[in-house]
Amino acid sequence: MRTAVLHPALTGRAGGANGAARPRRAPAHALAEAVNLARALSLDICLAEVVRVDAPRPGMLFGPGRVEELGTRLKADEVGLVIVDGPLSPVQQRNLERAWKLKILDRTGLILEIFADRARTREGVLQVDLAHLTYQKSRLVRSWTHLERQRGGLGFVGGPGETQIEADRRAISAEIDRIKRALGRVAKTRALHRRARARVPYPIVALVGYTNAGKSSLFNRLTDASVPAKDMLFATLDPTMRAVKLPSGRQIILSDTVGFVSDLPTELVAAFRATLEEVLEADLILHVRDIAHPESAVQAADVRDILATLGVDVDGERIAEIWNKIDILAPDVLRDLRLEAPGAISVSAATGEGIGDLLAAIEMTLAEPTSTVQLRIPFADGAARAWLHDRHLVLAERAGAGGMRLDVRWSAAERARFFAAHPSISAQVKVQ
């Protein structure tokens, strides 16, 4: 479908064209991102333009002269869809559609369409449906003419009867409740899985970052997996988890998550909260940045804002910054950036540069104080012995009366997980 992408930019002051503050992003870069979002739906972009707005009009956002001018150009280019990169009120959307006789999508609607196109798992589909319905319910303010008619009452009740808009809103509310119940069951299943993983001493490391920062490419590099990694916004929606072995032999679980974006619709943040709980439960969060992007710092600020909304302590010790795509930068530029932020870890998921340093940093961050104990494990309890060997916790072992004696070095967390999985061994601990 021939598509036009318009980014409204206020002249004279920073902010979004409907009063939504977007002061950090340059209009040209914001337009480029909107075009990439549209291309993620394989749309044919025939017009992309920053539209200056002196003051947003409550009826149609743009002034009447600009609406007429744009309408003429859209008709000449045979445009079938217009994407307005910003929030549109229901009234603005309706009036622009009437003026241009075209379908209009605002930024929230566009992102919802992308998510609907990408969702694959049942959970992902449910989350997108919930976000779509929540957004659609907010649009039921006489946005379409068919919602203005009334259903007749039975005559003896009095009054005009139930309007179509009220019936549609009630139907949407019922469907939202149904999906929330289904997602509640999914959340319980995820909680059970997390409790099961808690019995295994594998720390959880979550990759987060702006969409297209290279999280999936880095995930594939670290895990030898084949998660789809494309130069496309929102290539990954459904979270993926894989085991990764650190240089010491210790294992972790690495989780790839959905990418963030500026002005991420609140409907999506709420709908994907069950998925993003994996981030909240992580022992370590790796914030992956596309350090070669001209607005890398702005993207990083957007990610931090969303993490803070989710309840993550963005200044805490369990979050580390990873600079990806260093192979694109000139050496002197990268050197200057490293001087500004010496704590960041520089990598290239494409070439593998810096991956060893990243694994070593993960290991150092996850390191905990350890103590050495001696365990006596009955010969028949091979599972407990295998549990310790699989995690490389055994320093030495020897046969003794009634079982094997193992010298074990572990952290408090590893000790707790072992006894949770093998409570019968607890009384046989002897501290060295």
Side-chain angles (χ1 to χ4, degrees):
M1 179 182 293
R2 291 178 64 80
T3 303
V5 180
L6 307 177
H7 174 74
L10 276 184
T11 57
R13 69 177 180 88
N18 255 341
R22 298 179 65 187
R24 294 187 296 227
R25 197 167 302 276
H29 291 144
L31 176 64
E33 179 179 280
V35 168
N36 285 331
L37 285 169
R39 285 178 176 154
L41 285 175
S42 301
L43 295 173
D44 177 19
I45 311 301
C46 61
L47 174 65
E49 187 173 309
V50 173
V51 181
R52 303 292 174 179
V53 179
D54 292 331
R57 306 297 179 91
M60 285 196 290
L61 178 60
F62 308 111
R66 183 54 62 89
V67 170
E68 183 178 353
E69 175 209 339
L70 288 171
T72 301
R73 294 171 58 192
L74 294 171
K75 184 176 181 179
D77 288 338
E78 298 180 344
V79 170
L81 171 67
V82 177
I83 294 169
V84 178
D85 182 37
L88 284 177
S89 71
V91 171
Q92 289 171 335
Q93 181 176 347
R94 178 200 63 190
N95 289 340
L96 286 176
E97 287 181 340
R98 285 178 174 175
W100 292 338
K101 296 180 174 56
L102 296 171
K103 174 63 180 174
I104 308 290
L105 275 181
D106 67 357
R107 183 178 178 86
T108 296
L110 174 62
I111 295 175
L112 288 172
E113 289 293 333
I114 296 171
F115 273 56
D117 183 64
R118 295 282 190 277
R120 293 292 179 268
T121 65
R122 178 174 179 270
E123 179 184 4
V125 171
L126 285 171
Q127 289 169 328
V128 172
D129 285 348
L130 175 60
H132 242 300
L133 288 169
T134 304
Y135 175 71
Q136 184 179 343
K137 185 179 179 182
S138 72
R139 304 274 100 178
L140 295 185
V141 188
R142 302 191 184 278
S143 300
W144 302 284
T145 55
H146 83 277
L147 296 178
E148 297 175 2
R149 67 182 183 270
Q150 292 181 329
R151 291 175 176 172
L154 296 177
F156 57 88
V157 178
E162 181 182 46
T163 61
Q164 183 68 44
I165 188 172
E166 291 165 347
D168 286 358
R169 185 179 287 118
R170 188 162 48 80
I172 289 176
S173 296
E175 184 65 9
I176 287 175
D177 290 341
R178 184 192 68 80
I179 294 176
K180 284 183 175 179
R181 288 194 297 270
L183 283 174
R185 292 191 290 271
V186 171
K188 289 180 181 178
T189 301
R190 280 190 173 276
L192 290 174
H193 289 168
R194 281 195 294 272
R195 283 198 291 271
R197 286 198 300 268
R199 293 194 290 269
V200 181
Y202 293 156
I204 307 296
V205 177
L207 297 176
V208 303
Y210 207 82
T211 184
N212 214 33
K215 297 181 302 301
S216 293
S217 296
L218 183 59
F219 182 86
N220 290 338
R221 172 69 67 173
L222 292 169
T223 64
D224 294 324
S226 55
V227 171
K230 304 175 183 177
D231 186 17
M232 178 186 294
L233 301 184
F234 296 118
T236 302
L237 278 194
D238 298 311
T240 307
M241 307 185 84
R242 293 286 189 278
V244 174
K245 184 172 288 188
L246 298 177
S248 67
R250 185 185 186 187
Q251 285 193 322
I252 62 171
I253 299 295
L254 190 66
S255 174
D256 188 20
T257 61
V258 63
F260 299 152
V261 70
S262 66
D263 301 326
L264 189 66
T266 54
E267 295 90 350
L268 277 175
V269 175
F272 275 76
R273 194 171 186 88
T275 302
L276 295 172
E277 281 177 0
E278 299 292 348
V279 176
L280 299 178
E281 296 288 332
D283 297 280
L284 176 63
I285 298 172
L286 301 182
H287 175 188
V288 182
R289 284 178 56 181
D290 177 359
I291 198 62
H293 194 280
E295 291 199 326
S296 180
V298 177
Q299 293 180 349
D302 288 328
V303 171
R304 290 168 64 88
D305 287 348
I306 295 172
L307 289 176
T309 300
L310 293 170
V312 175
D313 180 6
V314 293
D315 296 315
E317 296 181 354
R318 69 183 188 107
I319 185 166
E321 195 164 281
I322 312 300
W323 289 357
N324 190 26
K325 305 187 184 183
I326 60 172
D327 53 299
I328 302 177
L329 289 178
D332 56 331
V333 174
L334 180 59
R335 182 181 62 251
D336 292 342
L337 287 171
R338 282 171 170 164
L339 291 175
E340 295 176 10
I345 304 165
S346 306
V347 302
S348 168
T351 67
E353 182 182 356
I355 295 299
D357 294 337
L358 172 58
L359 291 172
I362 292 173
E363 189 148 49
M364 182 178 300
T365 303
L366 294 175
E368 302 176 59
T370 59
S371 60
T372 302
V373 301
Q374 185 180 97
L375 303 179
R376 184 173 68 82
I377 298 179
F379 292 117
D381 199 348
R385 180 170 170 268
W387 192 100
L388 295 166
H389 276 286
D390 287 345
R391 280 76 185 174
H392 303 276
L393 302 177
V394 179
L395 301 176
E397 66 176 340
R398 53 202 172 278
M404 297 294 295
R405 297 186 181 276
L406 283 72
D407 294 334
V408 175
R409 177 182 293 141
W410 56 14
S411 67
E414 289 166 334
R415 172 176 174 155
R417 286 168 176 161
F418 174 78
F419 289 139
H422 306 280
S424 62
I425 310 296
S426 60
Q428 300 164 9
V429 178
K430 179 183 177 182
V431 180
Q432 295 289 295

